[in-house]
Amino acid sequence: MKYPEFRALEDRNGGSKADDLLTASITAFCCVARPAKSDAQQLEDLAVPLLPLTSPRVRRHAAAVLSELPHAPRRLVMALAEDDVDISAPILLRSPVLKTADLVDIIRRKGLGHARAIARRATTDPLMLDALHSFNDPALERTLAFQPPLEVETVAAPESEHLRETRQALRELMLSSDIGQSEDQVLADRLIDAALLDQTTTFHKEFAEALNLGPDNTSRIIGHGLNAELTIAFASLGLSAEATHLILTGLFGLVHKDLHSLRLFVQSYRQIDQEKARITVSRWKLQENSQALREKLREMAKDVENTARKVS
């Protein structure tokens, strides 16, 4: 049985896997109210190598989202700041991660385009102003003339209103009508805790026990992102859309970039017939048992063959 809605979500916008992975990881990081240093390090280790493989559209989105976060990973911010100016402009203009020395170095290495973007930051730092004035560029000078001086240097940018509204809307959408609908809330809580606490081994074990599947099948179904088999498995367990979304977020980061894609997921998930989902899982178990039986028969045949050779 196929579910086109989930396939559409899996292959959203026709983007590359690198695009999807970078977008999901950055969006998930931005939705953490107080990320730990380990969260920033994990994002940095994942995202920086991905940047050369991603499209300008996705890098532009990453720069815009990270530009307002004081806790954004420094190496990732620096890499985006040195990208083409049409991508790096939000970072150059707003990021509190970039200090004066960083900006001056970028101005000197990247040239006029980046300098014009940086000039829109209100600053009284003489080192920065000297670097900007050195271009003798009329457009840059006009920008500096209209920038009001800062009395104190901004240390940290507050959370954006748009980010707060989006996060609240996500919560309200997921909490609107699904709470308490899981047939086994204890199981749902265990799976959610294992996924959100990044306990991969624990989650695989809980998931395998709940479905009575072997480790190979479990790893294949969980895979590396949202897929039809995984959502069918959750539906067969009676998990609500809320619980399923939380588990997917814990496993793969925020898999839905906006409210529209989240609504599609919720609507599609609720349309899955639980009994049909259970039949599908039973088919997986049957295939797994058949494969195990074939392997056992092959082993027995080899043993018989080896015994015959020894006798002869």
Side-chain angles (χ1 to χ4, degrees):
M1 182 176 293
K2 296 183 179 179
Y3 294 90
E5 296 89 347
F6 289 112
R7 294 302 184 190
L9 282 174
E10 184 182 28
D11 299 322
R12 56 190 180 277
N13 298 332
S16 69
K17 292 184 183 295
D19 283 357
D20 290 347
L21 184 56
L22 181 65
T23 299
S25 59
I26 289 179
T27 304
F29 178 83
C30 292
C31 287
V32 178
R34 292 182 178 84
K37 289 183 179 180
S38 59
D39 296 326
Q41 186 63 53
Q42 287 178 358
L43 174 61
E44 187 173 82
D45 292 343
L46 172 68
V48 172
L50 280 176
L51 289 179
L53 307 177
T54 55
S55 65
R57 174 183 59 81
V58 168
R59 298 201 307 277
R60 191 177 297 112
H61 166 78
V65 170
L66 294 175
S67 65
E68 299 180 1
L69 299 183
H71 49 266
R74 175 176 170 77
R75 189 158 60 96
L76 177 57
V77 169
M78 289 295 296
L80 289 168
E82 296 186 0
D83 208 326
D84 295 339
V85 71
D86 64 317
I87 294 170
S88 62
I91 290 280
L92 299 175
L93 175 59
R94 294 190 295 270
S95 177
V97 175
L98 298 177
K99 306 305 180 186
T100 298
D102 302 320
L103 294 167
V104 170
D105 184 55
I106 291 171
I107 290 170
R108 290 174 176 168
R109 289 188 297 104
K110 303 300 292 185
L112 182 59
H114 284 65
R116 285 177 174 174
I118 293 172
R120 296 167 61 190
R121 296 173 74 114
T123 181
T124 57
D125 189 281
L127 190 62
M128 174 97 69
L129 293 174
D130 287 344
L132 293 171
H133 286 307
S134 67
F135 289 95
N136 294 317
D137 177 69
L140 191 153
E141 295 297 330
R142 286 194 298 271
T143 300
L144 290 175
F146 283 99
Q147 287 295 330
L150 285 178
E151 295 181 2
V152 293
E153 184 178 355
T154 301
V155 176
E159 180 184 49
S160 71
E161 185 65 24
H162 174 70
L163 182 57
R164 283 196 298 271
E165 291 176 355
T166 300
R167 185 181 297 146
Q168 184 61 31
L170 288 170
R171 291 195 189 107
E172 291 175 356
L173 178 63
M174 294 312 302
L175 295 175
S176 59
S177 59
D178 259 344
I179 292 180
Q181 291 182 6
S182 173
E183 290 185 357
D184 188 350
Q185 192 60 47
V186 175
L187 171 62
D189 289 343
R190 290 206 308 267
L191 292 174
I192 290 169
D193 289 345
L196 293 179
L197 294 175
D198 196 25
Q199 298 174 344
T200 305
T201 303
T202 303
F203 179 82
H204 278 237
K205 179 182 178 182
E206 294 280 1
F207 186 78
E209 289 181 356
L211 294 172
N212 192 24
L213 292 175
D216 292 340
N217 241 342
T218 298
S219 298
R220 177 185 61 80
I221 293 169
I222 294 174
H224 303 287
L226 176 61
N227 62 79
E229 289 187 336
L230 186 54
T231 49
I232 290 171
F234 290 142
S236 75
L237 296 172
L239 300 187
S240 66
E242 175 210 10
T244 298
H245 179 264
L246 287 174
I247 293 170
L248 292 171
T249 300
L251 290 176
F252 312 117
L254 195 62
V255 293
H256 307 106
K257 297 183 291 185
D258 50 43
L259 289 177
H260 177 67
S261 62
L262 179 56
R263 288 191 182 101
L264 285 178
F265 166 76
V266 173
Q267 292 168 4
S268 299
Y269 186 82
R270 289 172 179 168
Q271 290 173 2
I272 299 177
D273 183 275
Q274 185 176 357
E275 186 58 34
K276 292 181 179 178
R278 287 174 174 169
I279 293 173
T280 301
V281 173
S282 297
R283 190 181 304 122
W284 298 340
K285 295 176 185 177
L286 180 61
Q287 293 171 349
E288 183 177 70
N289 292 336
S290 298
Q291 178 65 26
L293 178 59
R294 287 194 295 269
E295 291 179 357
K296 185 64 177 178
L297 290 173
R298 281 195 293 267
E299 291 176 1
M300 293 173 62
K302 287 182 180 179
D303 289 341
V304 171
E305 183 180 351
N306 291 337
T307 301
R309 288 177 179 175
K310 290 178 180 179
V311 172
S312 61

